[in-house]
Amino acid sequence: MAEADLSGGHGDEAGARGRPGAPTGEPTRLLRAALQEVSTVIVGQDQMIERSMVALIARGHCLLEGVPGIAKTLAVSTLAKVTGGSFARVQFTPDLVPSDIVGTRIYHPSTEQFDVELGPVFANFVLADEINRAPAKVQSSLLEVMAEKQVSLGGTTYPLPDPFIVIATQNPVESEGVYPLPEAQRDRFLMKVQVPHPRAHEEMEILRRMSARPPEPHQVLDPVTLLELQHDAEQVHVHQLIADYVVRLVMATREPENYGVPELRRVLEVGASPRASLGLVAAARALALIRGREYVLPEDVRVLARDIMSHRLVLTFDALADGVTTTQIVDRVLAAVPPPRVIWDDPPSGEQAAAAAR
C-alpha cells in the first residue's frame, strides 16, 4: 500500500501514482465482493450501499434520510450480515430514555450491589431507526458513543466493540412528533445520504425478488478483516494538492467572499466544521480503495462532497424562507472552487521529446 501522508509527489500529479483503475489487490476484491453480496438482497440503492460501506471503512457514521419503505433498515441489517459484525436495532420513540440506549445500573437488594446492564449500542452495527422521533436528550446520549466509541456508567468507562458504526435513519416527510437533529449531533455523522424511491425497472425487480422467498445474504467479511481493510484505507495516498482542494472547499463555506462566491454570505449562518475536512479525506480514501486505487483523485472528493458537507451547514433565516437547500450551496461551491489538474507521469513520446529539446 502507498504511504499514508498528505504530502509527496511533484508537479500537478495530484496524488496519482499510476493510471486510474490500477488494482489494489485483495482489499478491493473483498470490498467489491461484499458490495455485490449486499446487492443480491437490496435492489437499486447502489449509492446508499456504497456510501454505507465508505462510512464503515472510513471509521465514520452514516445518516440515511428517506421516506418509509425504501429498504433503509434492510440495507443496514444486510450489510451487517455480509460483513460478519454483530447487529442491534434501536427503534427511536418519543418515550425513549437514554438508559434504553447506552445501559444503566440496577440495584439488587439481595446482594446490596449495583449491576451494570449494558445497552444495545454494544454491537458492531447499531441502527438508530427513525432517530428524529426521539427528543434531543435521547439523541445526544449517542454523542459519546459516536465520538469516543465508549460509554460511561457509574464512573466506569466501557469500550465499544471494534469496528463500530452508527447508521441512523430519519423520515424527512413527517413534521408532527419529530425532533430535528441538533447541529452538534449532525456533525458527528461522517455523511448524510439522501435515499430516493426506486425507479420503475427497479420496482419490478423488487416485486420479482422479494414477493416470494426473499434472498438470504452470505457472510463475506469478518470483524478482523474489516479492521485490516480500515487500516488499508488509511494507507491510501492523499497528495498535498488534494488536501489543499479539500481545505478550499470547506473554507469557501466559511469565507465565501474569498473564494469567488460572495453571494453565499447571505444564506450561510455557519459554514462546515473541521470535521468536514477530515471526513472528506477519510471517505475519499475509502472510496478510492473500493474503486481499486491506491491514491485519491479530485473526483473522489467531488463525488462525496454533498454527502459530507451539506448536513454540516447552517442556513440563515432568509435562506430558509427562500427555500434554499444546503445541497444547492455545496453544488455552488463545487462549481466555483476549481479542482487540481491530474497530470500523469508518462514518458514523453518522440515528438514531445523533440519539441522539449527545441
Side-chain angles (χ1 to χ4, degrees):
M1 278 295 177
E3 182 181 359
D5 56 32
L6 293 177
S7 60
H10 57 278
D12 288 332
E13 62 182 3
R17 296 190 171 187
R19 283 296 187 184
T24 59
E26 188 67 6
T28 296
R29 187 192 69 78
L30 288 172
L31 289 170
R32 290 179 177 175
L35 290 173
Q36 181 64 32
E37 188 63 29
V38 175
S39 66
T40 62
V41 177
I42 306 300
V43 179
Q45 302 291 2
D46 295 335
Q47 178 174 318
M48 174 181 65
I49 297 170
E50 184 184 61
R51 297 296 191 270
S52 300
M53 182 65 80
V54 166
L56 175 61
I57 300 303
R59 303 178 190 269
H61 308 287
C62 189
L63 177 62
L64 306 177
E65 182 173 272
V67 297
I70 52 177
K72 299 187 298 296
T73 301
L74 179 61
V76 179
S77 61
T78 303
L79 184 63
K81 291 178 183 177
V82 170
T83 55
S86 56
F87 173 74
R89 175 187 175 187
V90 181
Q91 184 68 48
F92 278 59
T93 56
D95 60 346
L96 208 65
V97 295
S99 59
D100 293 331
I101 300 173
V102 298
T104 187
R105 300 173 71 210
I106 299 177
Y107 181 72
H108 292 277
S110 59
T111 60
E112 297 183 351
Q113 290 181 339
F114 284 94
D115 288 341
V116 173
E117 294 289 336
L118 300 179
V121 294
F122 286 86
N124 296 116
F125 287 80
V126 176
L127 173 61
D129 214 355
E130 294 190 286
I131 190 173
N132 56 336
R133 288 197 177 278
K137 183 177 182 180
V138 177
Q139 294 171 0
S140 61
S141 65
L142 287 175
L143 288 177
E144 182 187 14
V145 171
M146 296 170 65
E148 309 298 336
K149 298 185 178 179
Q150 65 182 27
V151 170
S152 298
L153 292 173
T156 304
T157 299
Y158 301 90
L160 294 166
D162 198 18
F164 174 75
I165 182 174
V166 172
I167 301 182
T169 69
Q170 66 177 13
N171 181 357
V173 183
E174 296 183 17
S175 57
E176 185 174 347
V178 298
Y179 304 82
L181 287 176
E183 288 78 6
Q185 183 81 3
R186 293 201 308 264
D187 201 32
R188 293 303 197 283
F189 286 98
L190 172 65
M191 59 178 64
K192 175 184 176 182
V193 182
Q194 301 288 342
V195 186
H197 273 120
R199 289 168 288 187
H201 70 280
E202 295 168 345
E203 193 90 10
M204 183 63 70
E205 177 62 20
I206 292 172
L207 280 176
R208 186 194 68 80
R209 190 181 300 183
M210 308 298 288
S211 58
R213 181 178 296 177
E216 284 291 329
H218 299 92
Q219 181 177 339
V220 176
L221 306 174
D222 56 72
V224 174
T225 305
L226 271 178
L227 291 175
E228 294 173 353
L229 291 171
Q230 290 176 342
H231 178 71
D232 289 334
E234 291 171 349
Q235 309 308 307
V236 172
H237 181 72
V238 180
H239 192 278
Q240 185 64 34
L241 292 177
I242 299 291
D244 175 71
Y245 180 50
V246 168
V247 171
R248 285 187 288 121
L249 287 176
V250 173
M251 292 304 297
T253 66
R254 301 182 208 166
E255 304 170 1
E257 59 279 352
N258 296 335
Y259 293 87
V261 280
E263 67 275 12
L264 296 186
R265 175 58 68 189
R266 184 184 66 84
V267 297
L268 276 174
E269 184 75 29
V270 180
S273 71
R275 286 197 183 98
S277 302
L278 295 170
L280 277 171
V281 170
R285 279 175 159 150
L287 184 62
L289 187 66
I290 291 174
R291 295 186 174 180
R293 282 182 275 104
E294 296 183 343
Y295 50 86
V296 172
L297 289 175
E299 187 59 25
D300 298 325
V301 177
R302 294 177 64 84
V303 164
L304 295 166
R306 264 192 176 195
D307 302 319
I308 293 176
M309 293 175 61
S310 61
H311 64 287
R312 292 183 162 92
L313 303 177
V314 180
L315 301 179
T316 63
F317 178 79
D318 290 339
L320 294 172
D322 293 340
V324 177
T325 64
T326 55
T327 53
Q328 291 173 339
I329 293 176
V330 174
D331 289 342
R332 180 70 185 94
V333 169
L334 287 172
V337 179
R341 290 192 308 129
V342 178
I343 300 178
W344 306 106
D345 287 339
D346 285 340
S349 64
E351 294 181 1
Q352 291 173 330
R358 291 196 296 270

